[in-house]
Amino acid sequence: MSMIERIRNHRDATRRARAIEHALRSANSPAVREEILVIAQRHMS
């Protein structure tokens, strides 16, 4: 894996993590939070 690919992958992972955290903070109910976590885990694996 080249250095550029590694940087790009790290940047994408950071962006995804920030988006997930933002969605969790703005979620109103625990059910919505659970759904976001399920989707995030499915996406990461």
Side-chain angles (χ1 to χ4, degrees):
M1 182 184 302
S2 75
M3 189 68 154
I4 293 173
E5 285 176 340
R6 211 173 338 190
I7 292 170
R8 192 173 292 142
N9 288 344
H10 182 266
R11 193 179 55 208
D12 290 345
T14 304
R15 188 176 298 140
R16 268 194 303 272
R18 245 197 337 252
I20 291 165
E21 285 181 15
H22 177 74
L24 287 173
R25 271 199 303 274
S26 61
N28 295 330
S29 69
V32 173
R33 277 189 209 102
E34 280 295 314
E35 195 64 30
I36 292 168
L37 289 172
V38 167
I39 293 168
Q41 285 174 346
R42 199 179 312 146
H43 183 73
M44 294 297 193
S45 58

